[in-house]
Amino acid sequence: MRVGIVGVGFMGSTHAMGWAETDAIIAGFTAKPVRLAEPIAAEFGAKVYPDFEALLEDVDIVDICTPTFLHHEMVLRAAQAGKQIVCEKPLSLTVEQGREMVSACRKVGVKLLVGHVVRFFPEYAAAKSMVESGQIGKPAVLHLGRKSFHPKKTTDNWFLDDEKSGGMIQDLMVHDFDYARWIAGDVVRVFAKSIHGSGHNVPGNHALAILTHQSGAISHIEGSWAYPPPNFKTDFEIACADGLIVHNSDAATPNGLYLKKASDEEAQDVALPSSPLAESPYTTQIKAFYRAIVDDADIPITAEDGLAAVQIARAAIESARTGKAVELEPLPEVAS
């Protein structure tokens, strides 16, 4: 399998390191301007393609690591060319675009894999396994946090243009929207508040979203672009009927598991060990995507999962804008 990577920023180079750990051949890279692809192509012994069309003609898998506003057009073109597709998160800017992308891939029978890499972080994957095991009961209340510094204020930084990135809620919080849905099931209602800072001392913005799941579970999700650099913090609590799972990225151990007391004894606190030699979650993700393609196996993160995360993000943006809760309709079956 020959893979072509579109976009050579942080995600493009990170994905390339993941592909290098598979049996796929990294055929080459393309970017705008093209010269930006030259250093990474030299690093991986790959070709620099002059444009997206030239790359499409020479690969089996297209890995799209471009800004969000370019995903829609590129996925449609890759599907039309019959290529297997990996697309960074969020899948699309709008639900309508996402539906069109999923439909286009279904019609021609190609896979569309969405890069919600948080599912592959060991502490998040371990928590999912604990919940699935049934040992701590059904999820009831989730708290998820993702807090970072504001992207650099430059004229060409697409992150700062909500029409291109969806803003902090869609670009950053979408990770936890997807994870909350993975843990507690489909979401039926979203209520959100967002505060936009201004001035030298308070850059960026901060948002809180409450998701009501069809199961009755509630997720509280906090996202921020208001922390001082280079801070990037994540945390979660998953409260279930018979136990609580806790994670904080500042902690020495990845997760704490607090089981419901069977008697008056103290509740257990079981730390899950993590190895400093564990591979990058991005590499784990790419390996899983590669296996799904070459073995024609189930996709670990479906295109529908990516679409559902976009729906939640857009509802949170709308709720923050209007001050009202947004009811989510079930996503209709995507035509094939």
Side-chain angles (χ1 to χ4, degrees):
M1 286 280 184
R2 292 171 60 83
V3 59
I5 300 174
V6 191
V8 295
F10 172 77
M11 292 313 308
S13 60
T14 301
H15 280 216
M17 289 187 283
W19 286 112
E21 296 297 317
T22 73
D23 291 331
I25 298 170
I26 301 177
F29 303 82
T30 191
K32 286 188 177 181
V34 175
R35 60 177 172 76
L36 295 178
E38 293 172 358
I40 192 171
E43 178 183 352
F44 287 93
K47 181 178 178 180
V48 175
Y49 290 91
D51 52 42
F52 187 51
E53 288 72 18
L55 180 143
L56 282 178
E57 293 177 2
D58 200 30
V59 301
D60 306 297
I61 304 168
V62 177
D63 189 341
I64 298 171
C65 297
T66 58
T68 304
F69 69 97
L70 299 175
H71 291 179
H72 175 244
E73 180 185 358
M74 287 186 168
V75 166
L76 295 184
R77 287 158 66 187
Q80 187 177 23
K83 308 303 178 180
Q84 308 293 340
I85 304 166
V86 174
C87 182
E88 251 308 310
K89 66 82 210 164
L91 174 64
S92 58
L93 275 175
T94 69
V95 174
E96 292 74 18
Q97 285 181 348
R99 283 178 49 77
E100 189 176 357
M101 294 156 73
V102 176
S103 178
C105 291
R106 278 194 179 180
K107 284 179 180 177
V108 297
V110 299
K111 295 185 187 297
L112 173 56
L113 305 111
V114 187
H116 279 288
V117 71
V118 165
R119 295 192 185 199
F120 294 91
F121 274 73
E123 57 272 27
Y124 287 82
K128 168 67 171 176
S129 295
M130 287 184 203
V131 172
E132 283 192 330
S133 73
Q135 64 174 312
I136 57 174
K138 292 184 178 180
V141 179
L142 285 67
H143 292 267
L144 300 163
R146 193 163 302 270
K147 303 133 189 179
S148 181
F149 51 91
H150 196 269
K152 291 181 180 179
K153 292 186 176 180
T154 59
T155 56
D156 60 348
N157 192 340
W158 62 274
F159 283 109
L160 304 181
D161 186 341
D162 288 0
E163 297 300 316
K164 292 182 176 180
S165 70
M168 187 277 296
I169 290 177
Q170 185 157 356
D171 187 78
L172 185 69
M173 294 177 73
V174 73
H175 282 295
D176 297 299
F177 295 151
D178 173 69
Y179 187 75
R181 179 177 170 271
W182 195 39
I183 294 291
D186 287 337
V187 175
V188 296
R189 184 181 301 108
V190 179
F191 180 73
K193 288 288 186 180
S194 180
I195 300 172
H196 292 262
S198 61
H200 178 72
N201 293 325
V202 191
N205 58 307
H206 194 98
L208 299 171
I210 299 174
L211 314 183
T212 303
H213 297 265
Q214 190 172 40
S215 65
I218 300 292
S219 291
H220 299 252
I221 299 180
E222 180 180 11
S224 185
W225 272 352
Y227 278 52
N231 284 282
F232 188 92
K233 300 173 180 289
T234 62
D235 56 82
F236 64 71
E237 291 183 0
I238 302 174
C240 300
D242 298 312
L244 171 69
I245 308 169
V246 176
H247 159 73
N248 187 307
S249 59
D250 288 338
T253 53
N255 287 0
L257 172 60
Y258 301 85
L259 296 176
K260 183 179 178 180
K261 299 177 187 178
S263 63
D264 291 334
E265 297 177 359
E266 289 295 318
Q268 288 178 283
D269 181 359
V270 181
L272 299 178
S274 63
S275 167
L277 302 178
E279 71 180 8
S280 162
Y282 294 93
T283 296
T284 306
Q285 172 185 250
I286 292 297
K287 285 181 176 180
F289 286 176
Y290 178 68
R291 287 194 297 269
I293 292 170
V294 297
D295 297 336
D296 194 24
D298 291 339
I299 302 175
I301 304 172
T302 69
E304 287 80 4
D305 290 333
L307 180 57
V310 170
Q311 184 192 36
I312 297 167
R314 297 312 302 184
I317 291 169
E318 178 67 10
S319 177
R321 184 184 69 82
T322 64
K324 299 178 180 179
V326 175
E327 305 288 334
L328 298 190
E329 296 292 334
L331 285 168
E333 190 72 21
V334 177
S336 58

